[in-house]
Every structure is written in structure tokens, then in C-alpha cells.
Amino acid sequence: RIVGVRLKIVGEEAARVPAGEFECYKIQAGLTGMKGRLYRRKSYFWVEKPAPHRMIMQEDEGITDAARVELVEWRAGAPEAGP
């Protein structure tokens, strides 16, 4: 099943996580179409501005709660995750 997702850069800000502080783009993600009208939950991603553009942090807004994921450690030269 294909579900449409809308991504929008909503700002630039520093993200402070256990791995350090990073200058990031703040990106909002949400579903499009009928699912987007029914499921209004939004997700935010903080993506490092310079390459390699790592995802530094993610926050999901739920109906009653929020979830957060943060970069804890990055090792230079570590193998990249494959598909």
C-alpha cells in the first residue's frame, strides 16, 4: 500500500542530544490525502545541515503523549547501515 507523506522544512535550529550539539534543519512530516485528514499526528525530524545529514533527533506528537528519539553516539569510520 502506498501512503503519501508531506515533508516540510519548518526551521533551522540547534539540537542538543547526548552525542553533542548539531546545527539542524527541523523537518515536519505528516500524511497526505484522506489518511492525513483522519490521522493528524505530526512527526518532526532534526537533520544535520552539513553532510552526511544524519538524523539527530525525532519527535512524534501523539494524541495523548509524545515520543522522542535522540542520537546518542556516532563513531567516525563506523560502517553505514545498508538497505
Side-chain angles (χ1 to χ4, degrees):
R1 224 172 226 186
I2 297 175
V3 177
V5 176
R6 179 180 52 84
L7 300 173
K8 179 181 178 183
I9 296 175
V10 294
E12 297 179 18
E13 61 187 52
R16 183 173 290 160
V17 296
E21 186 169 328
F22 302 86
E23 287 299 317
C24 296
Y25 295 110
K26 182 178 179 181
I27 300 170
Q28 180 185 51
L31 299 177
T32 62
M34 181 60 77
K35 290 204 184 265
R37 288 190 287 278
L38 297 173
Y39 187 72
R40 297 184 180 269
R41 181 174 163 178
K42 298 273 191 283
S43 294
Y44 296 91
F45 299 89
W46 284 259
V47 176
E48 183 179 37
K49 288 171 75 173
H53 309 294
R54 298 172 287 189
M55 186 184 80
I56 303 300
M57 184 168 62
Q58 174 188 352
E59 286 185 355
D60 293 321
E61 292 179 354
I63 294 172
T64 60
D65 62 351
R68 183 175 176 148
V69 176
E70 298 178 337
L71 180 65
V72 173
E73 181 180 26
W74 179 268
R75 294 184 201 151
E80 297 290 328

